[in-house]
Each structure stands twice: as C-alpha cells, then as structure tokens.
Amino acid sequence: MTSMIVVSNRLPFVLKRCENGILSRHPSAGGLVTAMSPVVTEKGGLWIGWPGLYLNENDVIPEGDEKSNNAAERIGPKQIRSVNIESELFDEYYNGCCNTAFWPLLHSMPDRAVFKKEGWKSYLQVNELFGEKTFSALKNVVDMHPNGRAPLIWIHDYQLMLVPNYVRDMINEHGLHCKIAFFLHIPFPSWDIFRLFPWFDDVLVGLLGCDLIGFHIDGYVDNFLECCVKGLECRVDRENQVIHYDGRTIRVQSFPIGVPFKQFEEMSRVVKSEVVPHPDCKMILGVDRLDYTKGIIHRIRAFEKLLDEHPEHMEKVMLMQIAVPSRIGVQEYMELKDELDREVGRINGRLSTHKWSPIRYIYQCLKQDQLCAFYRDAYVALVTPIRDGMNLVAKEFVACQIGEPGVLILSPFTGAGETMHEALICNPLEEYGLAECMHRALAMPLGERELRMSALRRRERTNDVHHWVKTFLKATKAFNGEDNGSLAEPLTINQIEKWLAKYVGDTMKLVLLLDYDGTLAPIASHPDVAHLPEETKWILEQLVTMPDVYVAVVSGRNVNNLKSMVGISNITYAGNHGVDILHPDGTMFTHPDQIKYTPLIEALRVELESVTTNVEGAWIEAKGSTMTMHYRNVATEKRPALVEQTTAVILKHSFKPMKAHCAVEARPPIQWDKGRASIHLLRTTFGIDWSERVRIIYVGDDTTDEDAMTVLKGMAATFRVTNSRPVKTSAKYRIPDTRSVITLLQWVQQHFQNKINRKSSVSSNHSD
Ligand code: GDG
C-alpha cells in the first residue's frame, strides 16, 4: 500500500514532445529531486507534480529505467500523477509569482521581488489544482485500502505553500484522516522581509493546514514562528516549537537535508575523469544552477583577484564553473547569463596564456556521474551563494572526495554553513577576502586538509538523505493526537492577560459584544439544544452587575429566541444579525428598511419548504425577518445540490443568501449586518465619540461575525473562535473553542472584580 504521497511543483523528470508527438523523459536537476527520488523509489510512494507540458488524453508517460543509478530515472509512470495545467496559467503562476515574488523575497532579496495581483491569483488557482489532485490520489488509496493507514502527504517547497490548507479543508469535508507535512527547501526570512508580501497572511494560513512544517535550520524555524506571532497573532510555544492554531497543534522543526552519500561515493570510485588532471594545475570547482542567489559573478571576480594578488597561481590553477541552465526565458536569468558570458570572456581575454585559460565554463546539465568525476578531481570546491536554503553541492563534493582530500570553501549564508564547520567559511560579498580564502585553500598542508575533510565526510555520511527522511517521518509520527494531529492546548488566562491587560486598562468602560452559537454555546445538532453552559451563564450574570461592563449578544437568531436561550436580563440582545435590537429597558430598534420585506418572507418560506421536504435532515427555521435552511444532518453527498437549489430560491425571492455553519441564511437585501449593527449599538448607547469612551471586545465564530471584525479592526480586540478548520479572518486573535471563551470571560470578570475591590478598599481606607 502507498505509504507516502509526495507533492512538488515539478515531477522528477520533465517531459518533452518529440516531432512524432511521442513524449520523452529528461532529468530535472535540482536539490529537491536529488533528495526525494530515492525516498519515493524505496517507499513505493506516489509523486504528484507538473510534467513540463500540457498532457493530452492519449499521451503515455515513458517507463523509467529500472537499472539506472539515478533514482529519479527509476521512477515509473505508475508512481506518477501529473497535474495538468494550461501553459498560460502555469507561466503566470511560475514566472509571475513563484520566481518573481517568492524566490527573491524568501532569499531576503526584496529589491528583486515583484508583486502582481494576477500572478498571485494564478498561484491560488494552481495551488488549488494541486490540492484537488492530491486529495483525489489520497481518496483513491483510502478507498482501495479502507482498513489501512492513510498515506502521509508530504508537500514540498515555496511553489505550493497553500496546498496544505486546501487538502486539510477537503479531508475535513469528507471526514477523512491523514497527516499533512510540508518541507521548505529554501530559506524562510525574517518578519521584516516576509511582511512585504501583500498576501502574507494567506501564505501563513495555507501552511498552517499542516501537522508538521520542516525547514533546513533553526534560524528559519525561528523566523517562521515570529511571522506567525506577528502576522496572525498565533499562540506559539517557542521552546517546544509548536503553534496552537485553529484548534490544532502544528509542529515546526528543523531537518537539515543530506545527500545520498554512499551513492555519490560509489559513483566517484568508478567514473573516469572528465578533465585530464594536470599534476601542476589545480582545479577550483563551482557547480550551480545559474541563479543570482548563487553568487557566481562575485566568485569569478574573486578568482580574478586571486590571480592578480598572487600571480604565482598563474597557469597553476583553473576555475571550472558548471552552470546548469535554469528558468530560461526569464529576463533576469538571461541578463545573468549575459553578464557571466561577458565576465568570463573578459577575464580569460585578460589573463590567458598560450597554454592556459584561467576559467573554463560549461553551460549545460551534466550527467550525474560526470558531475561526480568533477567533485572527485577538484582541489577546491567554491560554494559561495549569497543566500541558499541548504546547498547540496557542498555535501556532494565532500561525498566524492575519496582520494587526496581537497578543501571546501563555504558561504555562511547557506544552510550548509551552519553545520559544515570544518569548511573554510567565507563571506562571498567581500571579494578580496574570498580571494585570500582561495589562496589559503590552495596552500593548505595535507595534514590540515585530511583533518578537515575526514570530519566533514563523517558528518555527511551519518546525516545523509536517508537519515533526513527518517527523522522527518519520525517527527510526523510523534504527535500525541491520532491521525489528525494534536488538539491545540486550551487557552490560558495568562495568555489572555498578555493580549488584553494593556488594552482594557483600568479607566474605561468595557463593551462585550458576543455571538451566541459556537461562541457562548457549543454548536449542537439543532439550535434548540444549543444551550448556554452553566459556567458561562454564571460569569455573564456576574458581569452584567458590574458598573463598568456592558454586555450585548449579537446573533443570527430571532431576538426573542435569543433572549430565552441566554435567559439573563440587563443584556442587550441583537437578533437577526442586528436587524432587531432589544435593549435591557425593553425598548426595541428594528431596521426601517426591513419592513417592506416582511410580506415577502412567507412566499419564500413556502418554496424553501418544498425544496427541503424530501431531503432527510434538512429543515427550515423561520426567524421573523430572516430565514435559515439547516443541513447539518443531511448526507454529505446531497449537500452541494441542496445548497445550490436553496441559494437559487432565495435569490429568486429577492433575498440575500449567506453561508453559515451547515446552513444557508436568507436575509433581506438591506445594507445591514453584524458590523453595522455593532456600530449602531455603540453610537446610540455611548455617543458619537464612543471609541474614546469605551474599550470593546468582540467574540464570534462565524463568517457573519467577520463583518463586525472588519469594521471594528483597529478599534476593538476582536476574537475569532476557530475550530479545526483553517480560516482567514479579520479578527486580531484566534481562540480554539467555546471553552476558551469561558477563560476569556473569566479574565474579564476577574479584572473588573479586582477593580471594584481596589475601589472599595480605597474608600474604606478614606473612611478609616
Ligand atoms: C534547493 C535549494 C537546497 C547541479 N548541476 C548539475 C546537477 N546539479 C544538482 C546537484 C545538486 C542540485 O543540482 C543542486 O542543489 P542545491 O542544493 O545546490 O540547490 P537548488 O537546486 O537551488 O536546491 C537549496 C535544495 O533545494 C535541497 O533542499 O539545498 O538550498 O535552493 O543535487 O548535484 N545535476 C546534474 N547535472 C548537473 O550539471 N545531473
């Protein structure tokens, strides 16, 4: 049975159409493919990705080569699920968003980033397509093995950061269980950089659909946690590296990736030399995808400085730069290629002699064993990116150094620079320093080279790619909750104190605007049995007696029904989303525009009853000026058609259809909602300058509460009760459940009780 579904932007190979229409396979170079291919072949996994072109119905993906040393070439079509994407859409997503926005931004190069709405829209669309494909692959596996364990879904990299949430949504909807994990292969930047992305909150919410999120190093984990705190006000436990969000616990951890060490080592034992090594001419090697993050231009200029400053190396050393074509067709990459061509030409023109050229430059993708020969025969490897998630070239070089050892020069701005301590660590932006570092490497005595290289090899042999997979998979099993991850820890009163103490303060009156269903009372199978918990009722009763606290319950229910469910006097009840507001003194506000819809509602009721009459579990709740069709107890497969029909009927009768928790509401099409009602209530109760006189807390769990959270943004402490379903919200804070609402109310009650106690002790001191 399939134990893992790997999802990445590209498949491990690219398909090309030959002139006769037949498809041919071509290896995709890059770190992700190198790392994941051995895992998929060994675990019998599925790989979901884009095949490189739009597939027609009759296209046949060519078989893999079972005998190949390269795991990517062994993967056959049975293990492949290709995501078919129209080329225009793919281009907008890949070049209009991934390459132009995320790649530079996540590499902390914001000046190069371009943010375009169309690109972002395509990103959303393509991520949704990947989400659907992943879900259908999962569902197939589960349907075929109903008693087996659902496969792990392992999503990769910055192109697919919204997929976790799309999949989470679908598995929730279908009542399936499985674990979702994500690994980011590139760096994750600090909050100051990440917040530049205009839709940063969508990205964070997308990723938080996971159970486990992996990064290469702790620095990226710290940055991500910080972004969740600053960007989403998430509750984060930094010490244990977990986030409490939407009622779930998400683990965030570093997993430094390794390479298939043995495989590289073995290949380098058998492969023939690519360049005839001249005993007197040492090879300095650079291997990179041609990308501006890799620091190739700085590197060759530093090499030029080496020759200028230390002419004794003339004719005794050469730089072999292998640059793999990447993102061909993108302007920035074409410019980089032109600049590299020019610089290589300039330096060679200036320094070559009749028997020697300082730089050899190959612009193509080599076969893996050819690459091993270069790694083995190099005297120095120059791995000097300006920024790099990890960098596998550094590790592959070390694995292939089976003869007299050479030296690794490594940039500290790579993930590899964090652990490969015995390399010569050198800032690539300082070209003289880098030239001196090369000089030192070329002159390094054998004893020191042996010492450094053997320590590097020992570490990389142990921490190879198999170890990386093993530790990652072990972490996916380490949740204490079962298949859907752990439940979030309940909210503590200390956390509320951190959020609210300063805002609520001691001098102002507090207005509590509270939704009922899903906020004060847990959601129940029928509205009539959604009772207010005793504890909540007791706290509310205390609160309404306090002079500085004002409580209003704002709900979609009919106002009289709401009053009887809460059952406390001295509260303001806003029913039908605030169309009717009943004050504690018995006066009632009804929105004037709603009156003309009253005669129409009966006809709507009759037609809605006829839609639901034959659908088991569906029922209509008439609430005066609004009406709701409930489908919580309707079979899942019947819901979409029912919702569609209901919506059509509501529109036909000139009412406004609104989605709610397992319900569709019909509201009069007047410009009124919980947001406008809240402002109306605040203005009529506390005057036009209410925002200077009162502090406000709004708590709700529903999309209808978002209207209030949006208008109150910046002027209130807003809380969204979110429960296991990842949602985007305008609320400032998220809390996991109605239990946490009780904690919140307890804090308010204690805060104001302390205030009363302080006042009375001051006045009794005075009377003493
Ligand atoms: C991303 C992150 C992270 C290179 N030239 C040829 C060739 N390669 C292979 C190498 C190596 C891979 O490409 C490059 O990996 P890197 O790690 O250096 O860089 P990215 O491609 O940018 O990878 C990076 C990585 O993901 C893994 O998480 O380390 O930070 O940016 O495996 O061997 N392969 C072949 N011919 C070549 O000419 N066959």
Side-chain angles (χ1 to χ4, degrees):
M1 174 181 170
T2 309
S3 61
M4 190 193 300
I5 299 178
V6 171
V7 191
S8 69
N9 176 50
R10 273 175 198 276
L11 289 172
F13 48 80
V14 177
L15 294 179
K16 289 194 181 145
R17 199 176 293 285
C18 308
E19 269 176 22
N20 56 8
I22 305 283
L23 298 176
S24 61
R25 284 170 63 136
H26 301 265
S28 342
L32 189 150
V33 171
T34 313
M36 287 314 293
S37 300
V39 184
V40 172
T41 43
E42 274 164 35
K43 300 243 163 214
L46 292 180
W47 195 317
I48 296 178
W50 181 68
L53 44 68
Y54 193 82
L55 290 180
N56 301 321
E57 223 168 84
N58 300 327
D59 278 333
V60 179
I61 297 181
E63 287 296 332
D65 173 5
E66 279 174 23
K67 290 194 197 107
S68 171
N69 280 337
N70 186 339
E73 287 170 13
R74 293 201 296 274
I75 297 176
K78 282 202 191 101
Q79 291 182 278
I80 295 293
R81 299 287 177 279
S82 24
V83 184
N84 230 2
I85 305 169
E86 298 285 355
S87 60
E88 228 171 88
L89 175 62
F90 188 85
D91 184 62
E92 192 61 55
Y93 140 84
Y94 190 57
N95 292 324
C97 187
C98 300
N99 289 341
T100 44
F102 286 131
W103 180 262
L105 192 76
L106 270 57
H107 282 89
S108 297
M109 299 181 174
D111 292 357
R112 288 183 181 263
V114 181
F115 307 126
K116 286 191 303 179
K117 177 91 184 156
E118 308 79 58
W120 173 239
K121 268 181 51 205
S122 313
Y123 188 85
L124 291 168
Q125 233 175 308
V126 170
N127 271 247
E128 195 168 356
L129 288 176
F130 269 85
E132 280 163 7
K133 194 83 190 183
T134 307
F135 176 74
S136 90
L138 170 78
K139 191 149 184 333
N140 265 336
V141 176
V142 173
D143 287 348
M144 275 163 64
H145 306 274
N147 299 323
R149 201 178 180 79
L152 167 76
I153 294 179
W154 189 354
I155 301 156
H156 290 263
D157 232 0
Y158 64 101
Q159 300 92 349
L160 304 178
M161 291 187 283
L162 308 183
V163 175
N165 207 1
Y166 282 127
V167 177
R168 167 78 51 201
D169 234 5
M170 284 185 267
I171 63 172
N172 278 355
E173 210 157 282
H174 288 76
L176 292 184
H177 299 287
C178 79
K179 283 178 182 161
I180 306 175
F182 181 91
F183 188 82
L184 187 73
H185 289 261
I186 66 174
F188 196 88
S190 67
W191 164 240
D192 272 353
I193 301 275
F194 188 66
R195 69 192 304 194
L196 300 177
F197 188 67
W199 306 278
F200 70 81
D201 49 345
D202 290 277
V203 175
L204 296 175
V205 170
L207 284 169
L208 290 176
C210 286
D211 297 292
L212 174 70
I213 305 174
F215 296 93
H216 282 305
I217 56 171
D218 277 342
Y220 308 155
V221 170
D222 292 345
N223 286 345
F224 181 72
L225 293 179
E226 184 69 0
C227 286
C228 288
V229 172
K230 294 267 172 62
L232 294 180
E233 295 281 352
C234 281
R235 285 186 294 139
V236 163
D237 174 350
R238 286 177 210 267
E239 210 173 296
N240 294 307
Q241 301 190 314
V242 292
I243 300 173
H244 301 290
Y245 176 84
D246 275 352
R248 293 181 303 111
T249 295
I250 296 111
R251 191 164 292 281
V252 187
Q253 213 175 309
S254 66
F255 302 92
I257 202 168
V259 294
F261 188 96
K262 265 199 203 142
Q263 192 188 315
F264 273 93
E265 189 181 46
E266 274 158 25
M267 254 191 278
S268 64
R269 276 192 213 292
V270 293
V271 72
K272 282 206 199 89
S273 287
E274 281 297 315
V275 274
V276 184
H278 192 286
D280 292 333
C281 188
K282 293 169 178 165
M283 173 171 45
I284 300 184
L285 178 68
V287 177
D288 310 81
R289 273 187 313 96
L290 184 55
D291 195 293
Y292 53 79
T293 57
K294 304 286 183 184
I296 305 173
I297 301 283
H298 288 88
R299 178 186 310 166
I300 61 166
R301 288 195 189 134
F303 179 65
E304 182 186 17
K305 289 212 165 57
L306 167 78
L307 298 176
D308 285 340
E309 296 295 310
H310 300 281
E312 68 272 24
H313 293 302
M314 296 278 280
E315 297 188 341
K316 300 258 168 15
V317 59
M318 60 125 164
L319 173 63
M320 170 68 72
Q321 178 62 53
I322 298 165
V324 184
S326 182
R327 300 173 197 174
I328 307 158
V330 175
Q331 184 65 20
E332 229 174 346
Y333 286 73
M334 292 193 309
E335 283 168 12
L336 177 64
K337 162 92 175 38
D338 287 347
E339 192 180 0
L340 184 58
D341 291 353
R342 267 199 316 272
E343 282 298 275
V344 171
R346 183 183 63 75
I347 297 168
N348 275 348
R350 189 166 84 79
L351 298 173
S352 291
T353 64
H354 68 285
K355 54 178 183 182
W356 168 83
S357 285
I359 305 178
R360 279 205 216 171
Y361 157 46
I362 303 177
Y363 178 65
Q364 54 179 276
C365 184
L366 305 179
K367 282 188 157 291
Q368 209 170 38
D369 53 355
Q370 289 179 299
L371 200 59
C372 288
F374 281 111
Y375 284 144
R376 182 196 55 204
D377 299 337
Y379 197 87
V380 175
L382 258 186
V383 181
T384 56
I386 296 164
R387 188 74 61 161
D388 210 339
M390 175 54 77
N391 194 293
L392 299 182
V393 168
K395 301 188 171 210
E396 291 165 4
F397 166 67
V398 161
C400 295
Q401 284 281 293
I402 50 167
E404 188 189 308
V407 182
L408 171 64
I409 296 180
L410 186 56
S411 156
F413 313 131
T414 61
E418 293 278 307
T419 52
M420 299 181 83
H421 311 295
E422 300 80 5
L424 296 188
I425 306 288
C426 182
N427 182 341
L429 298 170
E430 210 277 88
E431 286 163 14
Y432 274 103
L434 186 51
E436 284 310 309
C437 192
M438 284 185 232
H439 178 60
R440 185 180 158 202
L442 291 167
M444 189 182 282
L446 178 62
E448 185 179 346
R449 276 186 278 139
E450 277 171 346
L451 214 64
R452 288 179 182 276
M453 189 52 76
S454 65
L456 285 167
R457 282 174 59 79
R458 214 175 307 123
R459 185 180 305 107
E460 294 313 320
R461 187 193 295 280
T462 313
N463 299 333
D464 68 354
V465 71
H466 307 294
H467 172 82
W468 175 72
V469 173
K470 233 196 263 164
T471 36
F472 191 90
L473 294 182
K474 204 165 153 205
T476 64
K477 293 187 183 124
F479 313 131
N480 48 18
E482 254 317 287
D483 280 348
N484 258 7
S486 314
L487 291 181
E489 277 178 13
L491 194 66
T492 62
I493 209 145
N494 285 345
Q495 177 67 57
I496 307 272
E497 167 86 13
K498 262 191 232 159
W499 282 339
L500 289 183
K502 233 162 104 195
Y503 171 70
V504 171
D506 270 345
T507 51
M508 299 244 242
K509 202 174 171 96
L510 178 71
V511 178
L512 278 169
L513 300 172
L514 308 166
D515 167 53
Y516 183 77
D517 294 278
T519 301
L520 290 176
I523 298 280
S525 56
H526 192 286
D528 289 351
V529 289
H531 295 300
L532 189 64
E534 281 303 312
E535 199 176 354
T536 315
K537 188 164 183 180
W538 183 86
I539 305 170
L540 287 176
E541 280 168 346
Q542 305 299 305
L543 287 171
V544 295
T545 64
M546 295 179 163
D548 285 344
V549 181
Y550 174 95
V551 184
V553 182
V554 187
S555 164
R557 287 176 182 249
N558 164 296
V559 73
N560 294 322
N561 172 267
L562 180 64
K563 189 176 176 199
S564 75
M565 292 306 284
V566 178
I568 303 175
S569 40
N570 279 330
I571 284 188
T572 299
Y573 292 102
N576 281 331
H577 306 282
V579 166
D580 306 307
I581 302 177
L582 178 60
H583 294 282
D585 63 4
T587 56
M588 172 93 135
F589 158 86
T590 295
H591 193 284
D593 290 354
Q594 143 342 92
I595 294 168
K596 68 174 185 241
Y597 289 93
T598 314
L600 306 179
I601 200 137
E602 181 52 20
L604 172 65
R605 190 189 63 74
V606 171
E607 195 163 349
L608 279 184
E609 290 285 4
S610 75
V611 168
T612 51
T613 192
N614 290 325
V615 184
E616 204 182 317
W619 64 282
I620 303 297
E621 183 187 10
K623 304 190 292 184
S625 53
T626 66
M627 187 165 292
T628 304
M629 187 280 285
H630 293 272
Y631 60 85
R632 182 170 299 280
N633 301 324
V634 172
T636 321
E637 68 279 5
K638 292 197 176 147
R639 290 177 180 184
L642 178 65
V643 168
E644 199 179 315
Q645 263 182 304
T646 305
T647 308
V649 169
I650 294 172
L651 286 170
K652 183 178 137 196
H653 285 261
S654 308
F655 278 71
K656 205 163 57 174
M658 303 289 287
K659 274 189 102 177
H661 276 310
C662 288
V664 182
E665 283 196 340
R667 288 202 233 157
I670 54 176
Q671 290 286 315
W672 203 248
D673 52 42
K674 285 186 177 181
R676 286 165 198 255
S678 299
I679 299 289
H680 170 85
L681 205 150
L682 288 163
R683 211 179 40 223
T684 50
T685 315
F686 301 101
I688 197 142
D689 56 347
W690 55 269
S691 66
E692 286 162 35
R693 290 137 147 286
V694 290
R695 294 295 192 214
I696 301 137
I697 291 178
Y698 189 102
V699 195
D701 76 311
D702 199 13
T703 38
T704 60
D705 293 302
E706 288 292 327
D707 294 322
M709 290 159 182
T710 307
V711 296
L712 290 172
K713 209 170 186 153
M715 298 189 289
T718 47
F719 290 83
R720 173 93 189 245
V721 184
T722 53
N723 204 341
S724 79
R725 226 182 161 76
V727 288
K728 189 171 155 101
T729 177
S730 297
K732 182 146 174 71
Y733 308 103
R734 293 157 186 271
I735 51 177
D737 46 25
T738 49
R739 177 70 243 167
S740 304
V741 178
I742 297 180
T743 312
L744 173 67
L745 296 177
Q746 271 168 345
W747 179 85
V748 174
Q749 194 258 336
Q750 277 173 21
H751 185 82
F752 283 89
Q753 189 57 55
N754 291 343
K755 193 172 156 186
I756 293 169
N757 296 348
R758 275 198 305 274
K759 258 193 193 159
S760 69
S761 83
V762 170
S763 63
S764 69
N765 282 349
H766 280 305
S767 55
D768 288 347

PDB file of all heavy atoms in Angstrom, residues 482-498:
ATOM      1  N   GLU A 482      -4.142  11.446  17.493  1.00  0.00           N
ATOM      2  CA  GLU A 482      -4.096  10.446  16.417  1.00  0.00           C
ATOM      3  C   GLU A 482      -4.086  11.126  15.051  1.00  0.00           C
ATOM      4  O   GLU A 482      -3.685  12.278  14.964  1.00  0.00           O
ATOM      5  CB  GLU A 482      -5.262   9.458  16.582  1.00  0.00           C
ATOM      6  CG  GLU A 482      -4.777   8.101  17.096  1.00  0.00           C
ATOM      7  CD  GLU A 482      -3.496   7.584  16.439  1.00  0.00           C
ATOM      8  OE1 GLU A 482      -3.582   7.167  15.278  1.00  0.00           O
ATOM      9  OE2 GLU A 482      -2.420   7.601  17.043  1.00  0.00           O
ATOM     10  N   ASP A 483      -4.572  10.455  14.049  1.00  0.00           N
ATOM     11  CA  ASP A 483      -4.279  10.834  12.674  1.00  0.00           C
ATOM     12  C   ASP A 483      -4.461  12.294  12.278  1.00  0.00           C
ATOM     13  O   ASP A 483      -3.864  12.748  11.333  1.00  0.00           O
ATOM     14  CB  ASP A 483      -5.104   9.967  11.722  1.00  0.00           C
ATOM     15  CG  ASP A 483      -4.423   8.642  11.578  1.00  0.00           C
ATOM     16  OD1 ASP A 483      -3.269   8.544  12.011  1.00  0.00           O
ATOM     17  OD2 ASP A 483      -5.040   7.719  11.047  1.00  0.00           O
ATOM     18  N   ASN A 484      -5.309  13.025  12.959  1.00  0.00           N
ATOM     19  CA  ASN A 484      -5.458  14.411  12.523  1.00  0.00           C
ATOM     20  C   ASN A 484      -4.618  15.380  13.339  1.00  0.00           C
ATOM     21  O   ASN A 484      -4.955  16.541  13.493  1.00  0.00           O
ATOM     22  CB  ASN A 484      -6.920  14.838  12.534  1.00  0.00           C
ATOM     23  CG  ASN A 484      -7.459  14.817  11.123  1.00  0.00           C
ATOM     24  OD1 ASN A 484      -6.774  14.361  10.220  1.00  0.00           O
ATOM     25  ND2 ASN A 484      -8.645  15.318  10.932  1.00  0.00           N
ATOM     26  N   GLY A 485      -3.514  14.883  13.880  1.00  0.00           N
ATOM     27  CA  GLY A 485      -2.623  15.759  14.624  1.00  0.00           C
ATOM     28  C   GLY A 485      -3.145  15.994  16.030  1.00  0.00           C
ATOM     29  O   GLY A 485      -4.147  15.432  16.442  1.00  0.00           O
ATOM     30  N   SER A 486      -2.445  16.835  16.750  1.00  0.00           N
ATOM     31  CA  SER A 486      -2.825  17.058  18.141  1.00  0.00           C
ATOM     32  C   SER A 486      -3.814  18.192  18.247  1.00  0.00           C
ATOM     33  O   SER A 486      -3.809  19.100  17.429  1.00  0.00           O
ATOM     34  CB  SER A 486      -1.585  17.463  18.930  1.00  0.00           C
ATOM     35  OG  SER A 486      -0.538  16.627  18.608  1.00  0.00           O
ATOM     36  N   LEU A 487      -4.614  18.130  19.278  1.00  0.00           N
ATOM     37  CA  LEU A 487      -5.503  19.255  19.527  1.00  0.00           C
ATOM     38  C   LEU A 487      -4.702  20.372  20.156  1.00  0.00           C
ATOM     39  O   LEU A 487      -3.735  20.140  20.870  1.00  0.00           O
ATOM     40  CB  LEU A 487      -6.619  18.823  20.484  1.00  0.00           C
ATOM     41  CG  LEU A 487      -7.614  17.836  19.888  1.00  0.00           C
ATOM     42  CD1 LEU A 487      -8.678  17.499  20.910  1.00  0.00           C
ATOM     43  CD2 LEU A 487      -8.260  18.428  18.642  1.00  0.00           C
ATOM     44  N   ALA A 488      -5.094  21.593  19.881  1.00  0.00           N
ATOM     45  CA  ALA A 488      -4.367  22.715  20.458  1.00  0.00           C
ATOM     46  C   ALA A 488      -4.568  22.729  21.964  1.00  0.00           C
ATOM     47  O   ALA A 488      -5.604  22.300  22.468  1.00  0.00           O
ATOM     48  CB  ALA A 488      -4.886  24.013  19.868  1.00  0.00           C
ATOM     49  N   GLU A 489      -3.574  23.249  22.641  1.00  0.00           N
ATOM     50  CA  GLU A 489      -3.721  23.374  24.085  1.00  0.00           C
ATOM     51  C   GLU A 489      -4.766  24.435  24.378  1.00  0.00           C
ATOM     52  O   GLU A 489      -4.864  25.431  23.654  1.00  0.00           O
ATOM     53  CB  GLU A 489      -2.393  23.789  24.686  1.00  0.00           C
ATOM     54  CG  GLU A 489      -1.514  22.587  24.877  1.00  0.00           C
ATOM     55  CD  GLU A 489      -0.171  22.953  25.435  1.00  0.00           C
ATOM     56  OE1 GLU A 489       0.002  24.086  25.903  1.00  0.00           O
ATOM     57  OE2 GLU A 489       0.692  22.078  25.376  1.00  0.00           O
ATOM     58  N   PRO A 490      -5.561  24.226  25.462  1.00  0.00           N
ATOM     59  CA  PRO A 490      -6.570  25.242  25.770  1.00  0.00           C
ATOM     60  C   PRO A 490      -5.894  26.582  26.076  1.00  0.00           C
ATOM     61  O   PRO A 490      -4.746  26.628  26.505  1.00  0.00           O
ATOM     62  CB  PRO A 490      -7.287  24.686  26.986  1.00  0.00           C
ATOM     63  CG  PRO A 490      -6.527  23.497  27.426  1.00  0.00           C
ATOM     64  CD  PRO A 490      -5.570  23.103  26.371  1.00  0.00           C
ATOM     65  N   LEU A 491      -6.655  27.609  25.853  1.00  0.00           N
ATOM     66  CA  LEU A 491      -6.133  28.953  26.074  1.00  0.00           C
ATOM     67  C   LEU A 491      -5.975  29.192  27.578  1.00  0.00           C
ATOM     68  O   LEU A 491      -6.849  28.839  28.348  1.00  0.00           O
ATOM     69  CB  LEU A 491      -7.165  29.931  25.506  1.00  0.00           C
ATOM     70  CG  LEU A 491      -6.748  31.350  25.322  1.00  0.00           C
ATOM     71  CD1 LEU A 491      -5.675  31.440  24.261  1.00  0.00           C
ATOM     72  CD2 LEU A 491      -7.955  32.178  24.884  1.00  0.00           C
ATOM     73  N   THR A 492      -4.880  29.792  27.985  1.00  0.00           N
ATOM     74  CA  THR A 492      -4.691  30.043  29.418  1.00  0.00           C
ATOM     75  C   THR A 492      -5.069  31.485  29.745  1.00  0.00           C
ATOM     76  O   THR A 492      -5.039  32.361  28.874  1.00  0.00           O
ATOM     77  CB  THR A 492      -3.225  29.835  29.836  1.00  0.00           C
ATOM     78  OG1 THR A 492      -2.448  30.780  29.104  1.00  0.00           O
ATOM     79  CG2 THR A 492      -2.765  28.430  29.560  1.00  0.00           C
ATOM     80  N   ILE A 493      -5.376  31.695  31.015  1.00  0.00           N
ATOM     81  CA  ILE A 493      -5.746  33.037  31.449  1.00  0.00           C
ATOM     82  C   ILE A 493      -4.547  33.983  31.317  1.00  0.00           C
ATOM     83  O   ILE A 493      -4.692  35.171  31.066  1.00  0.00           O
ATOM     84  CB  ILE A 493      -6.346  32.960  32.881  1.00  0.00           C
ATOM     85  CG1 ILE A 493      -7.357  34.085  33.078  1.00  0.00           C
ATOM     86  CG2 ILE A 493      -5.293  32.941  33.946  1.00  0.00           C
ATOM     87  CD1 ILE A 493      -8.520  33.721  33.938  1.00  0.00           C
ATOM     88  N   ASN A 494      -3.330  33.426  31.445  1.00  0.00           N
ATOM     89  CA  ASN A 494      -2.115  34.251  31.303  1.00  0.00           C
ATOM     90  C   ASN A 494      -1.986  34.793  29.885  1.00  0.00           C
ATOM     91  O   ASN A 494      -1.540  35.912  29.679  1.00  0.00           O
ATOM     92  CB  ASN A 494      -0.855  33.430  31.605  1.00  0.00           C
ATOM     93  CG  ASN A 494      -0.720  33.218  33.078  1.00  0.00           C
ATOM     94  OD1 ASN A 494      -1.394  33.896  33.857  1.00  0.00           O
ATOM     95  ND2 ASN A 494       0.115  32.269  33.463  1.00  0.00           N
ATOM     96  N   GLN A 495      -2.357  33.955  28.930  1.00  0.00           N
ATOM     97  CA  GLN A 495      -2.278  34.407  27.539  1.00  0.00           C
ATOM     98  C   GLN A 495      -3.249  35.564  27.303  1.00  0.00           C
ATOM     99  O   GLN A 495      -2.926  36.550  26.661  1.00  0.00           O
ATOM    100  CB  GLN A 495      -2.597  33.228  26.603  1.00  0.00           C
ATOM    101  CG  GLN A 495      -2.626  33.596  25.144  1.00  0.00           C
ATOM    102  CD  GLN A 495      -1.258  33.990  24.600  1.00  0.00           C
ATOM    103  OE1 GLN A 495      -0.312  33.229  24.677  1.00  0.00           O
ATOM    104  NE2 GLN A 495      -1.159  35.197  24.073  1.00  0.00           N
ATOM    105  N   ILE A 496      -4.468  35.428  27.874  1.00  0.00           N
ATOM    106  CA  ILE A 496      -5.470  36.499  27.738  1.00  0.00           C
ATOM    107  C   ILE A 496      -4.939  37.777  28.371  1.00  0.00           C
ATOM    108  O   ILE A 496      -5.071  38.867  27.828  1.00  0.00           O
ATOM    109  CB  ILE A 496      -6.798  36.104  28.436  1.00  0.00           C
ATOM    110  CG1 ILE A 496      -7.283  34.754  27.945  1.00  0.00           C
ATOM    111  CG2 ILE A 496      -7.843  37.189  28.303  1.00  0.00           C
ATOM    112  CD1 ILE A 496      -8.136  34.779  26.748  1.00  0.00           C
ATOM    113  N   GLU A 497      -4.324  37.600  29.525  1.00  0.00           N
ATOM    114  CA  GLU A 497      -3.742  38.753  30.244  1.00  0.00           C
ATOM    115  C   GLU A 497      -2.740  39.465  29.322  1.00  0.00           C
ATOM    116  O   GLU A 497      -2.753  40.687  29.188  1.00  0.00           O
ATOM    117  CB  GLU A 497      -3.076  38.217  31.523  1.00  0.00           C
ATOM    118  CG  GLU A 497      -2.157  39.187  32.248  1.00  0.00           C
ATOM    119  CD  GLU A 497      -2.898  40.107  33.220  1.00  0.00           C
ATOM    120  OE1 GLU A 497      -4.077  39.819  33.514  1.00  0.00           O
ATOM    121  OE2 GLU A 497      -2.306  41.125  33.631  1.00  0.00           O
ATOM    122  N   LYS A 498      -1.882  38.659  28.649  1.00  0.00           N
ATOM    123  CA  LYS A 498      -0.878  39.246  27.751  1.00  0.00           C
ATOM    124  C   LYS A 498      -1.552  40.049  26.636  1.00  0.00           C
ATOM    125  O   LYS A 498      -1.100  41.099  26.231  1.00  0.00           O
ATOM    126  CB  LYS A 498      -0.053  38.119  27.109  1.00  0.00           C
ATOM    127  CG  LYS A 498       1.275  37.881  27.804  1.00  0.00           C
ATOM    128  CD  LYS A 498       2.130  36.963  26.959  1.00  0.00           C
ATOM    129  CE  LYS A 498       2.615  35.797  27.801  1.00  0.00           C
ATOM    130  NZ  LYS A 498       3.012  34.640  27.053  1.00  0.00           N
TER     131      LYS A 498
END
